[in-house]
Amino acid sequence: MSVTEQEQRNDDKRNVVRARPSGFFKDLSTVAGRALRAIPREPETFIPALFIPAFFFIVNVGALQDLTENFPGNDGFDYRAFQLPTAIIFAVTGISRAPGLVTDIQSGYFDRLLLSPARRLPLLLGLMVADLVLVIGLCIPVIILGFFLGVSFGTGPLGLILFILIGALWGLAFTGFPYAIALKTANPGAVGASFILFFPFAFLTSSTVPLDQLTGWLRAVARVNPITYILESMRSLTGDTWQWAELGKGFLAILIVGTISQGLALLALRGRLDRG
């Protein structure tokens, strides 16, 4: 090899553009931004989540408001305020970008990301950031509907903000389950069925009837159901006084469920990385 050819090769090596890590938060924002841009293109992922809870909110209030508010001992009971948290919980539970993650895995896009210098954790956390934005967006129309029907927040604007925060944190806490299933199975049907994890527990709680009016085994199950305490914490914010004990129980319930679900998601991510 001549000296000129060697010098040319050295110049080519110096001019090669190599991918370098861009930083944790840059990776996080990139993944979250891509997920957020995909949401308007997939209205089927959020329109049912908004329409169905709003529909049952209106139906339940119309059918049961007079019965519950006129029940002996229920003086001053507002069934509209009682049902609003139930509508929020149904709107935000199970909403995630997990189906999109399955598509990325099946198409090979996720594997290509693993070959890039991108950090691994933001590949999952970025999707959850998009989920948090989406569930907050779902809370707002349901709350506006509640205002239209006459619901008010005795705790004021701060109570309203906490109400949205609790709903959003619960929605985020639950997302760990569909992400764990997506990363473990890469099966869209399995991810779609993840809502079954929530559905039975939603009715084994004080979702339609106050806890103190439940009887027998249903009341016993509701007392150990974390969703009960999330609902009660949100309902406390529509009252006239701050009930810190109820709020504490609600945040603790979210923390317990979130620790379990997000732990499963992180384990599934590690398994997917090891497999790749």
Side-chain angles (χ1 to χ4, degrees), residues 18 27 40 49 64 67 86 99 104 107 109 137 140 144 147 156 158 195 199 219 226 233 236 254 269 272:
R18 300 184 184 277
D27 291 342
L64 299 175
L67 176 64
T86 301
D104 288 344
S107 67
Y109 179 79
I140 293 174
I144 292 174
F147 285 150
L158 181 58
F195 188 74
F199 194 74
R219 184 173 184 176
S233 67
S236 72
I254 292 172
L269 176 62
R272 174 65 58 177

Side-chain angles (χ1 to χ4, degrees), residues 19-272:
R20 291 177 296 178
S22 57
F24 179 89
F25 291 103
K26 178 62 176 178
D27 291 342
L28 185 71
S29 63
T30 300
V31 174
R34 175 178 179 263
L36 286 171
R37 289 191 297 272
I39 292 174
R41 298 195 295 268
E42 302 171 359
E44 68 278 4
T45 63
F46 63 87
I47 289 181
L50 182 61
F51 174 78
I52 295 174
F55 173 79
F56 280 104
F57 179 38
I58 295 172
V59 170
N60 287 340
V61 169
L64 299 175
Q65 181 178 359
D66 291 342
L67 176 64
T68 55
E69 292 183 353
N70 294 327
F71 193 83
N74 276 3
D75 295 338
F77 179 72
D78 186 350
Y79 192 68
R80 294 163 299 180
F82 180 85
Q83 273 292 294
L84 181 60
T86 301
I88 293 290
I89 292 298
F90 272 91
V92 303
T93 303
I95 297 299
S96 74
R97 296 299 304 162
L101 177 57
V102 169
T103 301
D104 288 344
I105 294 173
Q106 292 181 336
S107 67
Y109 179 79
F110 189 79
D111 290 334
R112 291 196 294 273
L113 287 177
L114 297 181
L115 295 174
S116 73
R119 287 167 172 79
R120 301 325 187 214
L121 194 55
L123 300 181
L124 180 59
L125 294 185
L127 298 176
M128 292 182 178
V129 170
D131 294 337
L132 183 62
V133 174
L134 178 57
V135 296
I136 290 175
L138 290 173
C139 286
I140 293 174
V142 179
I143 291 174
I144 292 174
L145 176 61
F147 285 150
F148 180 77
L149 294 179
V151 178
S152 61
F153 285 79
T155 51
L158 181 58
L160 174 60
I161 293 173
L162 273 177
F163 186 90
I164 296 174
L165 178 63
I166 292 172
L169 289 178
W170 163 250
L172 182 63
F174 190 87
T175 60
F177 295 119
Y179 280 122
I181 295 172
L183 289 165
K184 185 69 175 179
T185 68
N187 186 315
V191 172
S194 64
F195 188 74
I196 295 176
L197 296 171
F198 162 77
F199 194 74
F201 291 99
F203 292 97
L204 298 176
T205 184
S206 58
S207 57
T208 55
V209 178
L211 183 61
D212 58 4
Q213 293 180 12
L214 296 176
T215 59
W217 66 268
L218 182 56
R219 184 173 184 176
V221 172
R223 285 190 177 279
V224 298
N225 189 336
I227 300 173
T228 296
Y229 300 99
I230 298 168
L231 288 171
E232 294 301 320
S233 67
M234 297 177 76
R235 286 165 182 155
S236 72
L237 294 169
T238 62
D240 295 328
T241 58
W242 289 92
Q243 301 179 38
W244 300 109
E246 297 294 340
L247 289 173
K249 292 175 184 177
F251 280 111
L252 179 60
I254 292 172
L255 178 62
I256 292 172
V257 175
T259 299
I260 295 171
S261 70
Q262 302 299 336
L264 291 173
L266 291 175
L267 286 174
L269 176 62
R270 178 181 295 179
R272 174 65 58 177

Side-chain angles (χ1 to χ4, degrees), residues 5-33:
E5 290 176 343
Q6 183 63 43
E7 290 177 349
Q8 181 64 42
R9 289 196 175 187
N10 291 337
D11 290 340
D12 291 341
K13 290 180 180 179
R14 285 193 294 268
N15 294 330
V16 170
V17 177
R18 300 184 184 277
R20 291 177 296 178
S22 57
F24 179 89
F25 291 103
K26 178 62 176 178
D27 291 342
L28 185 71
S29 63
T30 300
V31 174

